[in-house]
Amino acid sequence: MARGDGPWVWDVDGRRYLDLVGSWGPLILGHRPGPVLQALREQLERGWAFGAPTEAEVRLAQTVHDRMPAIEMVRLVNSGTEATMSATRLARAATGRARIVKFAGAYHGHADALLAEAGSGVATLGIPGTPGVTRGAAGDTVVARYNTLGEVERAFDRWPAEIAAVIVEPVAGNMGVVAPAAGFLEGLRRVTRDQGSLLIFDEVMTGFRVARGGAQELYRITPDLTCLGKVIGGGLPIGAYGGRRDLMEQVAPSGPVYQAGTLSGNPLAVVAGQATLDQLDAAAYDLLEHSGSRMEQWIAQAAAAAGVPVTVNRVGSMLTAFFSPGPVTDYESAKGADTAAFGRWFHLMLDAGVSLPPSQFEAGFLSTAHDGAALAHLEEAVNDSFHALSRSTGSVSRAGV
Ligand SMILES: *Cc1c(COP(=O)(O)O)cnc(C)c1O
């Protein structure tokens, strides 16, 4: 890509696309939103790295705490990967336990211990196991089925007092979008609390995306630790982890759990994040929900009219169209989708000037910059692409329509 503006991107050949990748989630205001551009320009004039805290960093921490009260203390890092890596280290230190439960198809960044049965690119590329990850590094990772509380309970039965934490994407986004089943997150909260284990919400994707206070506000769950990234940096490199004060005080220098970063709390990333969060009021989330529901409807209707089995999973402005009759509730059912058909659709959409995430196992994102003109372009592309898909597969005539 050569440049971006609002909901649009241009490639190096000058072709324009409607952007539904949003840099994989961070660009909730679209490309180059005025307030973020302004904040970055002002910060460039003041300097971009000090190796010491800045006022803007403290303000961002306060904003995060205000919107996610479960985050009593927060540490800024440089990526979502660093956030999950540091949060699991802290969980192990605080509980004196080694094992971590994660879910199949969930992606928590590329730290060794969390790559087991990972989603996102690992799922897209079909990478078997995790070459380069030693048995020692991954041996304490337990993989359970998303939305299946019984598997988590069985893990606790099998390894009582050995599981430091359960880490979960409260809305899965890296096997494609999969919402939590009713009672699933509540169950995880109850089981971890009963078992003296910690609940880590990986809200790197959902944080400030699905609601002003993230998935923990949407589903009314209080995790022990939360990981953030993506939206919190408005498209600049950032991550954060935080939670209960008694836990966070164990992180160095106030406690013994070491974690550091040369560029953590980087002033450019921090002001971009703050300027982004400042725009995200209730009206912004209403707009994102409205645009998301229209996109969902258009795809569902066009697919039905074309006789193509598609299941649209959506939470707010995160959406995946699975080429499957559905329902898609976990990694197994996600993998049952027709990825070849998805690939054909992806290319038809690209030809029609819409840039979707190039994988069945990713979330597409809308931004507040996706205005009437952008949505009209999207609707037309969706209709045309499914029409072409039905002609190319002959599914319409086979269905006797
Ligand atoms: C993107 C993502 C990560 C990794 O963040 P990076 O900044 O790419 O390291 C971790 N967890 C979830 C849920 C993500 O979506």
Side-chain angles (χ1 to χ4, degrees):
M1 291 302 169
R3 79 187 167 92
D5 192 33
W8 306 100
V9 287
W10 285 262
D11 69 14
V12 290
D13 298 321
R15 286 201 48 172
R16 187 183 77 156
Y17 305 88
L18 185 68
D19 186 15
L20 295 177
V21 179
S23 189
W24 304 99
L27 300 184
I28 197 165
L29 306 179
H31 292 266
R32 301 174 69 252
V36 178
L37 203 54
Q38 168 91 5
L40 282 169
R41 284 189 172 134
E42 286 172 14
Q43 189 59 45
L44 278 171
E45 295 302 322
R46 289 191 293 266
W48 48 84
F50 302 102
T54 58
E55 280 188 309
E57 183 181 356
V58 176
R59 240 182 94 216
L60 183 63
Q62 183 67 48
T63 302
V64 168
H65 167 70
D66 291 345
R67 296 191 194 182
M68 294 182 176
I71 301 185
E72 296 170 346
M73 288 180 81
V74 64
R75 170 66 61 89
L76 298 184
V77 291
N78 300 294
S79 66
T81 296
E82 279 188 53
T84 60
M85 191 177 76
S86 308
T88 49
R89 177 186 303 140
L90 174 57
R92 285 167 161 163
T95 58
R97 301 175 177 185
R99 292 187 200 276
I100 301 285
V101 174
K102 78 171 287 278
F103 295 94
Y107 180 67
H108 302 293
H110 63 88
D112 283 1
L114 295 171
L115 273 179
E117 288 191 52
S120 192
V122 183
T124 305
L125 302 174
I127 294 173
T130 42
V133 176
T134 63
R135 212 169 299 153
D140 289 320
T141 307
V142 179
V143 181
R145 189 169 184 158
Y146 195 75
N147 275 333
T148 306
L149 187 62
E151 289 209 358
V152 176
E153 290 170 334
R154 272 195 293 285
F156 278 102
D157 287 345
R158 180 156 175 210
W159 295 290
E162 286 186 46
I163 297 172
V166 175
I167 184 167
V168 64
E169 290 180 66
V171 176
N174 288 293
M175 57 182 98
V177 174
V178 175
F184 177 60
L185 297 174
E186 290 83 351
L188 294 181
R189 179 62 286 184
R190 189 179 60 249
V191 173
T192 46
R193 187 172 282 144
D194 290 351
Q195 298 283 341
S197 182
L198 299 178
L199 180 60
I200 304 174
F201 266 17
D202 180 353
E203 294 225 44
V204 171
M205 186 182 290
T206 56
F208 312 112
R209 162 64 66 179
V210 297
R212 198 157 182 275
Q216 52 198 273
E217 176 186 275
L218 192 61
Y219 299 103
R220 299 169 193 279
I221 308 285
T222 305
D224 300 296
L225 293 170
T226 298
C227 303
L228 297 169
K230 299 196 168 113
V231 170
I232 196 188
L236 274 82
I238 202 168
Y241 67 106
R244 276 167 41 196
R245 175 174 297 278
D246 64 303
L247 296 172
M248 291 306 293
E249 279 178 341
Q250 298 186 37
V251 178
S254 57
V257 182
Y258 194 69
Q259 183 269 306
T262 301
L263 294 173
S264 294
N266 179 262
L268 288 174
V270 161
V271 298
Q274 183 72 50
T276 300
L277 295 186
D278 285 347
Q279 298 300 312
L280 294 173
D281 54 10
Y285 291 100
D286 286 348
L287 177 65
L288 290 167
E289 169 63 29
H290 181 69
S291 307
S293 78
R294 294 181 76 188
M295 179 171 174
E296 175 182 350
Q297 265 175 21
W298 291 331
I299 295 174
Q301 285 168 0
V308 180
V310 165
T311 300
V312 184
N313 279 5
R314 178 183 71 88
V315 175
S317 54
M318 288 169 56
L319 180 149
T320 301
F322 287 100
F323 279 68
S324 150
V328 178
T329 56
D330 56 21
Y331 193 35
E332 277 308 304
S333 42
K335 280 194 292 190
D338 183 346
T339 53
F342 174 87
R344 284 195 295 277
W345 184 57
F346 166 82
H347 282 286
L348 287 165
M349 289 289 276
L350 199 64
D351 291 345
V354 176
S355 171
L356 289 165
S359 166
Q360 180 69 99
F361 308 114
E362 298 284 0
F365 299 99
L366 288 158
S367 79
T368 57
H370 286 71
D371 54 9
L375 292 177
H377 180 86
L378 176 61
E379 183 180 13
E380 195 180 326
V382 165
N383 287 332
D384 292 352
S385 61
F386 276 103
H387 191 66
L389 213 52
S390 72
R391 269 184 299 149
S392 69
T393 60
S395 57
V396 168
S397 53
R398 272 208 307 278
V401 177

